[in-house]
Amino acid sequence: MRTLLARRSVATGTLGAVAAGSRVAAGIGLSALLEGGNAFDAVVAAGLAETVALPSKCGLAGDVVAIYTRAGDSTPTSLIALGGAAAGLHDAAAARGWDVPATGGLSVGIPGAPAGYDRLGDLGRLGRPRLTAPARALASRGIVWSPLSALLAHEARDLLAEHQPGGSVFAPATGPIEPGAVVPLPGMARLLDEFAERGAQLNGGRVGEAIVRRVTAAGGCLTLEDLTTVTVDEAPAHRVDTAHGPLWATNAPTYGRALTEVFADGEASPAGPDRVREVLARQARGALALAGEGTSTVAAVDREGNAVVVVHSNSFPQFGSGLVVEDYDLVLNNRAGRGFAFEPGHPNAPVAGRRPLTTLHAWATRHTGGWVLGATPGGEQQVPWNVALLNGLLPTDRTENDLGQALVTPRWQIGPDGTARTEGTELPAFGARSSHVLVRTGTDRATAAADPRWDGAAVSA
C-alpha cells in the first residue's frame, strides 16, 4: 500500500506541476500554467482557490509565508507577509492583566495575506484579475463541502456558535452542513472582486471597514490604520550546513530557524524527538499543542526552473479567531492571540508593529539537477513532521520516487507531555494530520508531490 501511495503522490511533467491541500485548487493552479503562466501564477491561482475551498484553514484575512527559487538562483528567497501588533493591543492586554483569550476580538491579527499573494503575483505573468477569476467563480457557484470541512466545522462548532450565535455560512443555526452539500459563498466572491481591484491595498477600503466593525463589536482594538501597515519581508533565506548538505528555511519570525537548528549540529545520524524537543523548548511557547487545522500549503514549479512553496494560514486551530465577517464570508485570523506572549517585557510581547512568532515555515534543499522545496501545515507539529520528512531526503540525491517514499514514511509528533508518538505504533497508520507539499526542479522536467494523508493532490502537464 505504501508503494502505491508513494507513486500516486507524485506528478511529473515537462511544462510544470502543482501540489495543494485541495484537489480543486491544484487543478486551478495547473490551468494557470496551461494558459502561459509560470510557477508564481500557478501558486497564487491555487492559493486563492484554497481560500474558497478551505475557509477554515486560510483566507484573505490570514497570513502568507513562502520560499521560492528562480532559474539560476544560488539562494532561495524567504517571503513573509505577516502583520505586526495593532497599535492598541499592548495597552488593551495590560488593561486585562495580560489575560488575552486565544480567540475572539483581541486575538485578531493584522492580515498579511493580501500583500503576500499580491507580491507573489507580481513575479508571475498573468496579472491579478486572471489569477483571481477561477477562485471568484468557485465561490459564486459554490464549494462542495468535503468530509474534512465537515470535520473541522464540527471541531469548531462551539467557537463559531460563541461568536455567531445566530449562525454563519459555515455553521448555520439550522444544523451542520452535511458532506457533499454545495455551499455558495457570494460574500467571498465579492471579496475576491475587491482583491482583484485593490490587491495589497484590499483592507484600505470597504473590506477593511467591515473587518474593523466586526472586531470592534467583539471587543477588539484593530483600526483601519492598523490594517494598512503590512509590509512584505523578502530576503535571502537563511542557511545551515548539515551533515548531508545545505538546508535553507524561511527567516524570523517563522519557525524556519527552529527547523534548521535541529539539523545544524553536523551529526550524520537522523534527527530525532530529543533534538526537536530541545530546540522547540527554546521557542518559549510552553507545552506543544496537538496539530491544528488552521493552515494549508500550495506549491508550484515550471519548466523554466521557477519553484515556490506557500504556507497560508488563519492560525490555530481552525476558523482562526472564530469571527466571521458576514458581508464577505471572511474568517478572521487569531495570529495575535496565538502568536504573541502576553507578558510585559517579553521579547515576543505585542509591541506596536512587532510581528509575532509563528510556527509557519518552509524549507529548501539542493540536488544535482536543481532544488527541492517543501512545507506542511500542523501548528507546532510542523517542525517534527518536517524533520521526519527531511531525515529521508537530506542523505540522498533525490529523484521523483524519493519524494513519494519520503511522504509515506511514518511521521512522529510530540505530545503536550513531551512524549513522541509515531504512526503505526502510538498513532494509527497515516494518522498524523500532516499535509506536505513538495516541488522539485530538474533539467528537463518539473515535479510536485502531495501528502496522501488528507485531501491534497499533485498534478502536472
Side-chain angles (χ1 to χ4, degrees):
M1 178 181 176
R2 288 187 183 276
T3 300
L4 177 62
L5 287 174
R7 187 170 70 246
R8 291 185 174 179
S9 298
V10 179
T12 298
T14 54
L15 176 65
V18 182
S22 156
R23 290 178 175 86
V24 67
I28 286 173
L30 185 63
S31 73
L33 289 173
L34 292 169
E35 292 182 24
N38 64 15
F40 297 100
D41 293 305
V43 82
V44 173
L48 292 173
E50 282 205 340
T51 71
V52 180
L54 301 173
S56 67
K57 290 171 165 280
C58 52
L60 280 162
D63 302 304
V64 165
V65 167
I67 196 166
Y68 68 81
T69 60
R70 290 179 285 190
D73 281 356
S74 59
T75 300
T77 297
S78 163
L79 183 150
I80 301 169
L82 179 71
L89 182 57
H90 184 278
D91 289 349
R96 293 177 56 97
W98 298 94
D99 181 18
V100 176
T103 57
L106 280 178
S107 77
V108 179
I110 299 170
Y117 295 132
D118 202 27
R119 171 56 189 152
L120 289 167
D122 287 343
L123 298 171
R125 291 193 285 260
L126 299 182
R128 195 167 59 238
R130 160 59 187 85
L131 299 179
T132 306
R136 195 256 181 235
L138 177 62
S140 183
R141 66 177 180 266
I143 59 173
V144 176
W145 201 244
S146 69
L148 177 59
S149 290
L151 171 65
L152 299 182
H154 171 74
E155 292 177 348
R157 66 190 184 281
D158 293 340
L159 174 66
L160 292 170
E162 176 186 356
H163 296 293
Q164 284 79 215
S168 69
V169 66
F170 306 116
T174 54
I177 304 168
E178 293 298 321
V182 175
V183 182
L185 297 171
M188 200 172 290
R190 290 193 295 273
L191 175 70
L192 287 160
D193 283 339
E194 290 277 344
F195 178 69
E197 179 181 345
R198 298 181 62 90
Q201 305 306 313
L202 172 69
N203 292 328
R206 289 172 291 189
V207 174
E209 292 168 355
I211 290 173
V212 169
R213 285 195 299 271
R214 183 70 186 92
V215 171
T216 300
C221 62
L222 275 184
T223 67
L224 197 60
E225 184 177 358
D226 289 328
L227 295 176
T228 62
T229 60
V230 175
T231 58
V232 177
D233 180 4
E234 209 168 359
H238 73 278
R239 165 182 168 162
V240 297
D241 292 316
T242 78
H244 303 290
L247 172 66
W248 291 263
T250 49
N251 299 326
T254 81
Y255 264 35
R257 290 283 182 182
L259 178 69
T260 54
E261 186 179 347
V262 170
F263 289 97
D265 58 7
E267 295 182 5
S269 59
D274 289 344
R275 175 65 174 164
V276 171
R277 275 192 294 264
E278 174 193 343
V279 170
L280 289 180
R282 290 195 283 273
Q283 298 299 313
R285 293 177 62 90
L288 280 171
L290 295 177
E293 290 290 348
T295 304
S296 191
T297 48
V298 293
V301 57
D302 61 39
R303 63 182 173 186
E304 299 165 27
N306 300 304
V308 55
V309 171
V310 169
V311 189
H312 52 168
S313 177
N314 288 333
S315 191
F316 177 87
Q318 55 263 5
F319 290 98
S321 65
L323 303 183
V324 179
V325 180
E326 293 184 2
D327 289 350
Y328 295 106
D329 301 331
L330 180 62
V331 177
L332 300 182
N333 78 76
N334 62 332
R335 180 68 60 205
R338 289 289 186 186
F340 284 117
F342 289 98
E343 177 184 336
H346 193 283
N348 191 37
V351 175
R354 175 184 288 164
R355 297 176 304 176
L357 190 67
T358 174
T359 60
L360 307 182
H361 65 282
W363 50 265
T365 68
R366 292 285 304 180
H367 67 92
T368 302
W371 296 94
V372 175
L373 282 62
T376 180
E380 287 159 319
Q381 298 301 334
Q382 290 174 65
V383 172
W385 291 341
N386 277 324
V387 168
L389 179 77
L390 284 164
N391 279 336
L393 288 180
L394 281 173
T396 65
D397 191 19
R398 293 148 296 277
T399 68
E400 291 91 334
N401 290 335
D402 290 328
L403 301 185
Q405 290 298 325
L407 284 173
V408 301
T409 298
R411 296 282 177 270
W412 47 266
Q413 61 190 41
I414 301 176
D417 61 355
T419 302
R421 297 172 174 85
T422 302
E423 289 179 329
T425 54
E426 299 86 2
L427 295 174
F430 297 105
R433 287 193 174 185
S434 66
S435 187
H436 276 99
V437 294
L438 307 173
V439 285
R440 180 182 188 274
T441 64
T443 55
D444 59 354
R445 65 188 68 196
T447 300
D451 203 314
R453 286 168 179 79
W454 290 90
D455 289 351
V459 292
S460 61

